[in-house]
């Protein structure tokens, strides 16, 4: 019988959906999250309201749980290591280290034999100008840490003036990435169990708007070989990290089908929400299974589908969505529909797979 | 935006699954249930720990909720009417009255033009002997009220001695039902919205063991005409009750395909658990949609499937079930696996519909 308690760091919609999946398998969940009455709490057993680096709270979480996981990749690595001294922490803290720093991430991906955009570390204005010269004056300058959904970035086209750009992004460690030509974006949601077994869902084709995921469509319009390349990249990467849990890996796809990895998210991923509607075992249950030592579920997809995020005021269309056939609506229990805020998602089944 | 609070009377697995479906649509749920820390609480926002007929608690529930529903058909009708004076109560209390009394139920079914087994009211030993004589000495004697899963019943075969049977069943109002010849059992899960629109899921074929549902299989092996007869019976019955919410209707199917209604359950139903795995909109979400005034979901089935209950010690097989492909496991958070206790269910997808 399954009677463990799972600690989840982070109480947003991903923690909420993990808690929901956990409850269906008889697991209890405790959320560690500084925001009181967080979205995850409605579905979880308990919330510890504390900062992610509060050691007393972390110790309390470890004492109360059998295993600990997280819903976002910016969990302080020190906190994850503090917990890992006391209880199993999945995915391993090493995955956080890699994912939190774009330089470490791209270096790691290349070490796994996975192609990325060209990149240069930028720790000064001089570094920036040298790197830009190497990339023909074009590239995307990004903070190495804590950037997401397009924030903390600056784009350079050939001829743009780079003066002051290092300071403008905060004079923090940066990375310059070369532009790459690509036709489409895909992601692979994969899971690895404690015993090393791996399950990959079919790649989703993703469309972003304003730097935020808009839709994920299954199947992706890609070559069969691109799909299997994405899977084997996922497998190499998961094995190398001795990973446990679900991971999301984003790729650009070139016209010839070649893959260029963009980033990894060591957690359940927005581009995997479709699994809830089109697979027997969702990415959320898959993650719960992995971290609790249950066998991984079969990631087979019974239907084609399109997942669409409901951002900000999109939430007001919920009644219309609910009236359409073959649409699963999932809302996150957030009170205020602020611009850019992920309020929910809908998945429309478009045919049998 | 969907921001109502739903009151649910009863905190077992059905209330739990309703609360889960409600949370996904941003509804809050409050459970009224005398057993503290009930299975539904983990997924609900709050529990009022009180007897079902506690008027102070009922008033508190009404004050805190926008609409009230229930997970079991033995909610006291007086409590439902008390609530209905304050807030919408769906399904309507009239449905409880009909479902709580086998005599009223069979009479109502016949009034809807739906065939049932022969039946006679039994209010004394003399009534019993008269009725048995009419039925050739054979039949099933049942309490009119509060019987379920085969409890409170006595079977008579021709030649059996009926002496003392009325007293043995408690000298309460009884009903004698004639035996009927049937090949199989099916059920229809249907829903009716406030605007009168109706959605029926495909009939499930049910197998009972020891008076408890064992499996529900889709599709049922029945004639097309039997399937449409079951739907039209459901529609007549729902309209006649001015029903709102999900209902479960059990039928026996004769060799020639004729339907004999067995009983109705004015709530989500065990034989509809398969909808969670094989349909976009589960019976739980369908019920939530109906009682909150959202449009009903399309009841289309994307897969064939078999749902199996996990009763008592079956719970120990959960790890094996989780290891099988195409199986969705759903557990109810109950601590002790007592004999006959419903601990969870599994639904195996067996092919595309």
């Amino acid at each position: 019988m399954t009677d463990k308690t799972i600690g989840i760091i982070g109480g947003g919609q991903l923690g909420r959906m993990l808690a929901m999946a956990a409850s269906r398998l008889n697991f209890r969940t405790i959320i560690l999250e500084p925001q009181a009455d967080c979205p995850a709490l409605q579905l979880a057993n308990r919330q510890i309201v504390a900062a992610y680096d509060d050691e007393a709270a972390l110790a309390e979480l470890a004492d109360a749980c059998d295993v600990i996981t997280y819903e976002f990749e910016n969990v302080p690595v020190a906190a994850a290591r503090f917990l890992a001294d006391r209880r199993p922490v999945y995915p391993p803290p090493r995955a956080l280290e890699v994912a939190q720093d774009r330089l470490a991430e791209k270096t790691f991906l290349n070490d796994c034999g996975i192609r990325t955009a060209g990149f240069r570390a930028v720790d000064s204005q001089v570094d920036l100008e040298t790197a830009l010269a190497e990339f023909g004056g074009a590239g995307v300058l990004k903070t190495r840490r804590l950037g997401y959904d397009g924030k903390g970035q600056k784009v350079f086209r050939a001829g743009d003036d780079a003066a002051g750009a290092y300071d403008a992004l905060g004079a923090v460690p940066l990375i310059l990435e070369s532009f790459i030509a690509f036709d489409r974006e895909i992601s692979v949601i994969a899971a690895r169990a404690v015993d090393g077994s791996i399950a990959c869902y079919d790649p989703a084709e993703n469309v972003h708007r304003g730097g935020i995921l808009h839709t994920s469509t299954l199947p992706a319009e890609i070559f069969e070989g691109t799909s299997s390349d994405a899977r084997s990249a996922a497998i190499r990467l998961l094995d190398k990290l001795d990973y446990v849990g679900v991971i999301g890996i984003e790729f650009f796809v070139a016209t010839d089908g070649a893959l260029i990895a963009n980033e990894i998210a060591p957690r359940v991923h927005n581009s995997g929400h479709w699994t809830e509607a089109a697979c027997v075992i969702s990415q959320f249950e898959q993650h719960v299974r992995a971290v609790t030592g249950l066998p991984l579920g079969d990631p087979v997809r019974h239907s084609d589908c399109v997942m669409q995020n409901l951002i900000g005021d999109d939430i007001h269309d919920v009644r219309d969505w609910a009236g359409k056939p073959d649409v699963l609506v999932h809302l996150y229990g957030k009170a205020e529909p602020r611009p850019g805020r992920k309020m929910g998602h809908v998945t429309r089944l478009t045919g049998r797979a």
Side-chain angles (χ1 to χ4, degrees), chain A:
Chain A
M1 199 158 157
T2 54
D3 55 4
K4 289 178 180 168
T5 298
I6 305 170
I8 302 174
I9 307 179
Q13 66 267 17
L14 301 180
R16 177 180 167 99
M17 292 188 271
L18 286 171
M20 186 183 285
S23 70
R24 207 160 60 176
L25 292 171
N26 269 11
F27 296 111
R28 295 171 55 84
T29 47
I30 303 179
I31 307 292
L32 177 75
E33 161 66 47
Q35 182 208 325
D37 198 21
C38 63
L41 179 60
Q42 187 183 6
L43 281 304
N45 290 83
R46 186 184 150 202
Q47 180 181 355
I48 297 174
V49 181
Y52 303 127
D53 59 358
D54 177 332
E55 289 202 353
L58 291 166
E60 184 185 349
L61 183 70
D63 282 348
C65 294
D66 299 288
V67 60
I68 291 162
T69 188
Y70 41 87
E71 61 141 25
F72 70 116
E73 64 271 36
N74 289 318
V75 171
V77 173
R81 295 211 181 279
F82 178 90
L83 289 166
D85 285 343
R86 289 157 177 81
R87 289 285 182 276
V89 172
Y90 300 130
R94 168 78 181 129
L96 288 174
E97 281 182 332
V98 168
Q100 285 177 8
D101 184 312
R102 292 181 200 278
L103 184 66
E105 185 179 41
K106 289 204 155 43
T107 305
F108 174 76
L109 286 162
N110 290 173
D111 287 349
C112 293
I114 301 169
R115 192 179 149 199
T116 62
F119 60 93
R120 296 289 183 276
V122 171
D123 291 303
S124 67
Q125 183 67 27
V126 172
D127 281 355
L128 172 59
E129 285 164 19
T130 309
L132 271 174
E134 288 185 82
F135 290 167
V140 187
L141 184 66
K142 301 178 177 178
T143 54
R144 280 171 54 180
R145 303 176 63 84
L146 290 175
Y148 62 97
D149 286 350
K151 292 167 193 162
Q153 304 196 358
K154 182 166 171 53
V155 170
F156 293 94
R157 309 272 169 195
D160 283 357
D161 184 4
Y166 177 70
D167 286 338
L169 278 186
V172 293
L174 303 175
I175 184 173
L176 185 74
E177 298 175 7
S178 67
F179 280 117
I180 48 167
F182 64 92
D183 271 0
R184 51 192 83 237
E185 298 178 65
I186 65 166
S187 60
V188 168
I189 308 298
R192 188 170 180 275
V194 176
D195 68 4
S197 59
I198 289 178
C200 294
Y201 292 98
D202 288 341
E205 182 163 340
N206 301 322
V207 172
H208 291 79
R209 281 194 186 169
I212 303 176
L213 182 66
H214 175 56
T215 56
S216 294
T217 300
L218 278 288
E221 270 197 54
I222 53 176
F223 299 122
E224 186 63 38
T226 302
S227 182
S228 60
D229 285 353
R231 282 160 200 271
S232 46
I235 291 167
R236 288 201 301 281
L237 190 156
L238 289 170
D239 282 340
K240 188 143 184 151
L241 285 171
D242 198 14
Y243 197 89
V244 174
V246 163
I247 197 167
I249 311 170
E250 294 183 327
F251 296 95
F252 301 113
V253 185
T255 307
D256 65 357
L259 287 171
I260 305 109
N262 179 28
E263 61 179 32
I264 62 176
R267 53 167 169 83
V268 288
H269 194 257
N270 194 166
S271 71
H273 290 0
W274 63 271
T275 57
E276 167 196 41
C279 299
V280 178
I281 305 299
S282 74
Q283 65 166 344
F284 305 101
E285 176 164 339
Q286 194 73 296
H287 187 74
V288 167
R289 284 169 171 245
V291 305
T292 58
L294 280 174
L296 293 183
D298 185 349
V300 70
R301 179 168 59 82
H302 57 68
S303 298
D304 297 341
C305 63
V306 181
M307 188 286 306
Q308 182 174 328
N309 272 333
L310 301 180
I311 308 286
D313 286 336
D314 292 350
I315 190 74
H316 301 305
D317 304 332
V318 156
R319 222 191 140 81
D320 289 344
W321 281 109
K324 294 181 204 289
D326 282 329
V327 169
L328 188 71
V329 175
H330 196 140
L331 307 181
Y332 306 152
K334 297 180 184 178
E336 260 181 282
R338 294 195 293 265
R341 193 176 202 202
K342 292 177 178 171
M343 302 301 290
H345 66 270
V346 293
T347 306
R348 185 164 57 89
L349 299 194
T350 53
R352 305 288 168 261

